[in-house]
Amino acid sequence: MREVMVEDGLTVRFPGRSVEFLEGVDIGLLIADLAAGHGDITRRIRRSGLKQAADVANGFGYRCTTVAEGDDWIEINVTNRRRRPVLRVV
């Protein structure tokens, strides 16, 4: 059983689906957020979908940075390029 996080506290399960299907759902949710014009988006995606997510973000005029990583997932932050980056003390 595979899960996709739609937003905090809401996951959807897809029994018997391939990893490629889940990557498509991840990218589709990201595209929906970008098309809605959200200024700052944080989303957890499959690690293998990072390049495609960065390309899609770039196409919409956003920058994509990695926030956190797990075994098979990566959390990205997508910000409009016109906004200045927020510096964080690590």
Side-chain angles (χ1 to χ4, degrees):
M1 176 94 47
R2 307 240 183 202
E3 292 185 356
V4 172
M5 182 174 19
V6 177
E7 62 181 39
D8 288 338
L10 176 61
T11 57
V12 180
R13 294 183 183 165
F14 295 101
R17 297 294 182 166
S18 68
V19 173
E20 291 82 16
F21 173 81
L22 297 174
E23 285 178 18
V25 173
D26 287 340
I27 299 301
L29 291 169
L30 178 63
I31 289 171
D33 285 341
L34 294 170
H38 297 288
D40 191 28
I41 303 161
T42 300
R43 183 158 294 283
R44 184 178 289 188
I45 62 171
R46 305 282 174 284
R47 182 180 295 281
S48 55
L50 178 60
K51 171 140 177 40
Q52 187 175 14
D55 290 345
V56 166
N58 188 36
F60 274 92
Y62 287 73
R63 77 172 73 83
C64 181
T65 56
T66 301
V67 178
E69 298 183 38
D71 292 335
D72 63 342
W73 58 269
I74 191 163
E75 190 169 272
I76 59 171
N77 182 267
V78 181
T79 308
N80 193 312
R81 273 194 220 135
R82 289 174 282 187
R83 291 182 62 194
R84 295 178 55 110
V86 177
L87 300 177
R88 294 184 184 109
V89 177
V90 183

